[in-house]
Amino acid sequence: MSVAEDIRSGETDEASLTLRGARHDLPVRRGTLGPDVIDITSLYQDTDCFTYDPGFTSTASCESKITYIDGDKGILLYRGYPIDQLAEHCTFLETAYLLLYGELPTAEQYEAFKDRITRHTMVHEQMNRFFTGFRRDAHPMAIMVGVVGALSAFYHDSIDIRDPEQREMASVRMIAKMPTIAAMAYKYSAGQPFVYPKNDLDYSANFLRMCFAVPCEEFEVDPVLTRAMRRIFILHADHEQNASTSTVRLAGSSGANPFACISAGIACLWGPAHGGANEAALTMLQEVGTVDRIPEYIQRAKDKNDPFRLMGFGHRVYKNYDPRAKIMQKTCHEVLDAVGHHDDPILKVALELERIALSDDYFIQKKLYPNIDFYSGITLKALGFPTDMFTVLFAIARTVGWIAQWKEMIGDPLQRIGRPRQLYTGPTERAYVPMKDR
Ligand code: ACO
């Protein structure tokens, strides 16, 4: 079989595919930004063929108006707004409102939204008992998957996805309760009592307090650390159709309730190729240890026979400096100064490693730039979090993106259950052989 695919250049809005001598025209759809897409929805019906694209490297799984990434230019926009502007000027809930509803809120809308979220930060008191069912050394992501999924067993009045009010209520509940649940997971592992949310604090300050306050002394919220936490949340809030977001959409496409869908997203995020990379980057920097050992690691990263990679470098989409990494680097300096670690040897290693890698031919030619994880591990450690909490913090932030994407999908009139096809390469039909004859 010979397959020739030819996208006509110029102004035409059609691609043609020649398959077994027959030509098939396919419409080309144009977004507001980014590459055009060839619409293949009728391909199977017209040609009896599927497309094959493991890892979805060339496949747009949906239409979306939420987040745009230009990986070659290093651009990330939420609803059209550059990430650096949002990270500099917005609160996390302002960003959440933007992602969820498409526009930045007016002062009145913001106050109403903030008030609504803030009044849902507590979890059902009975949920406390869930935590004691886990081993003390349970990974907090394991606890998150379980407890967030269990929200659907507590909030029966917000699981009917056909009702827009219930969808809204589920969204508010999850955004509000995620920091509380995450902090409870942390407190449980530390053997400390849970700290209830405090509604006069903002989202990020409240989270830091729930994690680090203890009943025997007053807790002072540090404005520099709060700003860092806010920025980290904003930078991680959405990243279009990544693995965990696609998981949430796929789970939601069957009509599963939103708590179950977000729990599925958390499970996917847990993987080291996705949410776990910041921990790997920090471990690597600690292993390098001192600036004089950097050339050895650079050499190893370039060696084809060595599986070692510079963690926190390279990205599937960004072939330029990850715009989030720049903000993360600045935030990292601020936090280390605030906690008195400005001479942190790990930061020195990171800065020098970045400098050397960015001037090295191997990294330049392969377009390997620092990604967000390169500096976020050092920053989170300086904020006081143990490494197994890093992905949990990512999950708190990404919950907003997951919900925005889930809501968009439910509201899409073209939405159908997600059901990829396959290229089958297993045995052809054969008759059952009784056990005694095998
Ligand atoms: N160090 C050294 N070489 C690298 C690195 C790295 N960090 N990343 C990629 N390369 C090389 C590869 O060896 C490959 O070389 P080759 O063409 O000679 O075979 C080339 O660059 C392309 O790499 P791929 O793995 O094909 O690129 P892909 O887009 O599939 O991978 C990924 C991207 C997984 C992020 C990769 O760059 C990597 O492993 N980085 C380190 C881990 C990391 O930091 N992950 C966090 C990603 S950000 C996030 O998830 C929030």
Side-chain angles (χ1 to χ4, degrees):
M1 179 177 74
S2 94
V3 180
E5 197 169 15
D6 158 44
I7 307 168
R8 283 191 258 141
S9 58
E11 278 112 48
T12 59
D13 279 325
E14 252 181 12
S16 71
L17 169 75
T18 308
L19 186 65
R20 300 180 195 114
R23 176 189 155 125
H24 304 272
D25 288 332
L26 296 163
V28 174
R29 296 189 56 193
R30 197 151 287 169
T32 47
L33 289 169
D36 295 345
V37 302
I38 303 167
D39 184 342
I40 57 159
T41 40
S42 65
L43 189 74
Y44 176 51
Q45 197 185 341
D46 295 348
T47 66
D48 209 22
C49 266
F50 299 143
T51 54
Y52 178 65
D53 183 19
F56 302 111
T57 47
S58 300
T59 299
S61 60
C62 62
E63 183 183 325
S64 183
K65 295 180 168 55
I66 301 173
T67 292
Y68 174 73
I69 304 171
D70 183 329
D72 292 327
K73 296 198 184 116
I75 291 173
L76 170 61
L77 311 174
Y78 291 168
R79 302 282 190 183
Y81 294 99
I83 190 67
D84 52 323
Q85 293 182 21
L86 297 172
E88 193 59 39
H89 303 296
C90 278
T91 67
F92 180 66
L93 288 184
E94 205 179 341
T95 309
Y97 187 100
L98 173 70
L99 285 167
L100 291 169
Y101 307 111
E103 297 296 336
L104 286 167
T106 62
E108 207 176 312
Q109 288 167 333
Y110 177 65
E111 283 310 314
F113 180 65
K114 194 171 76 171
D115 190 59
R116 195 153 189 228
I117 296 286
T118 307
R119 286 180 189 284
H120 284 278
T121 47
M122 284 175 70
V123 293
H124 195 292
E125 192 63 14
Q126 215 179 320
M127 284 203 103
N128 294 2
R129 285 195 234 141
F130 257 68
F131 288 84
T132 48
F134 290 98
R135 283 169 53 135
R136 285 273 176 204
D137 59 356
H139 196 289
M141 283 298 272
I143 300 182
M144 294 300 286
V145 172
V147 176
V148 172
L151 289 174
S152 48
F154 281 86
Y155 300 103
H156 294 152
D157 58 349
S158 53
I159 54 175
D160 180 356
I161 63 154
R162 289 159 307 174
D163 177 349
E165 298 230 330
Q166 292 203 29
R167 296 206 293 267
E168 185 65 18
M169 178 48 82
S171 310
V172 166
R173 280 186 169 139
M174 272 186 286
I175 294 168
K177 295 181 198 310
M178 200 60 85
T180 313
I181 295 170
M184 288 167 90
Y186 171 60
K187 284 298 198 193
Y188 182 70
S189 68
Q192 292 179 5
F194 298 142
V195 175
Y196 284 88
K198 201 162 185 301
N199 286 354
D200 59 347
L201 293 176
D202 89 346
Y203 197 87
S204 310
N206 179 43
F207 175 63
L208 289 175
R209 183 179 168 277
M210 286 192 292
C211 286
F212 299 122
V214 285
C216 42
E217 53 190 55
E218 286 304 312
F219 181 78
E220 296 262 327
V221 179
D222 182 313
V224 178
L225 305 191
T226 302
R227 186 175 60 201
M229 194 72 257
R230 182 191 311 142
R231 281 203 195 130
I232 291 168
F233 283 157
I234 292 174
L235 296 181
H236 288 86
D238 197 43
H239 215 227
E240 51 114 314
Q241 309 311 319
N242 56 82
S244 58
T245 303
S246 299
T247 301
V248 170
R249 279 188 179 255
L250 198 55
S253 76
S254 73
N257 78 68
F259 303 109
C261 296
I262 300 303
S263 172
I266 296 171
C268 178
L269 185 72
W270 192 1
H274 192 3
N278 48 16
E279 186 176 336
L282 179 65
T283 308
M284 179 199 72
L285 291 171
Q286 283 168 334
E287 194 186 308
V288 176
T290 49
V291 168
D292 57 301
R293 297 188 63 201
I294 292 176
E296 176 198 331
Y297 281 83
I298 295 269
Q299 217 34 58
R300 284 188 61 195
K302 291 171 13 179
D303 183 353
K304 278 251 158 272
N305 301 316
D306 189 330
F308 173 78
R309 282 186 170 198
L310 271 195
M311 299 313 285
F313 264 77
H315 196 276
R316 170 60 64 79
V317 180
Y318 293 116
K319 300 301 171 198
N320 201 323
Y321 211 104
D322 178 344
R324 302 167 302 172
K326 285 188 192 149
I327 308 161
M328 211 52 247
Q329 190 204 54
K330 181 174 162 217
T331 306
C332 183
H333 281 287
E334 289 171 5
V335 169
L336 292 179
D337 277 348
V339 299
H341 291 183
H342 39 268
D343 283 333
D344 190 306
I346 301 299
L347 180 67
K348 278 197 187 138
V349 170
L351 287 170
E352 186 59 10
L353 194 61
E354 178 182 348
R355 193 191 63 75
I356 295 177
L358 289 180
S359 56
D360 187 295
D361 254 7
Y362 174 91
F363 292 88
I364 294 169
Q365 285 191 354
K366 293 190 189 299
K367 300 186 176 167
L368 299 169
Y369 293 85
N371 59 49
I372 186 171
D373 294 321
F374 192 63
Y375 285 103
S376 64
I378 316 175
T379 315
L380 294 174
K381 178 171 171 270
L383 282 170
F385 291 104
T387 46
D388 63 3
M389 276 297 285
F390 291 2
T391 321
V392 175
L393 305 174
F394 193 160
I396 296 174
R398 188 54 60 84
T399 294
V400 167
W402 288 331
I403 291 172
Q405 302 269 353
W406 172 80
K407 283 177 83 178
E408 183 178 63
M409 181 197 67
I410 301 284
D412 183 347
L414 295 179
Q415 189 268 322
R416 305 163 73 187
I417 186 165
R419 177 48 172 102
R421 309 306 287 252
Q422 65 172 5
L423 171 65
Y424 178 71
T425 53
T428 52
E429 186 173 333
R430 47 186 171 165
Y432 174 78
V433 181
M435 207 177 275
K436 64 178 176 43
D437 300 333
R438 283 175 225 161

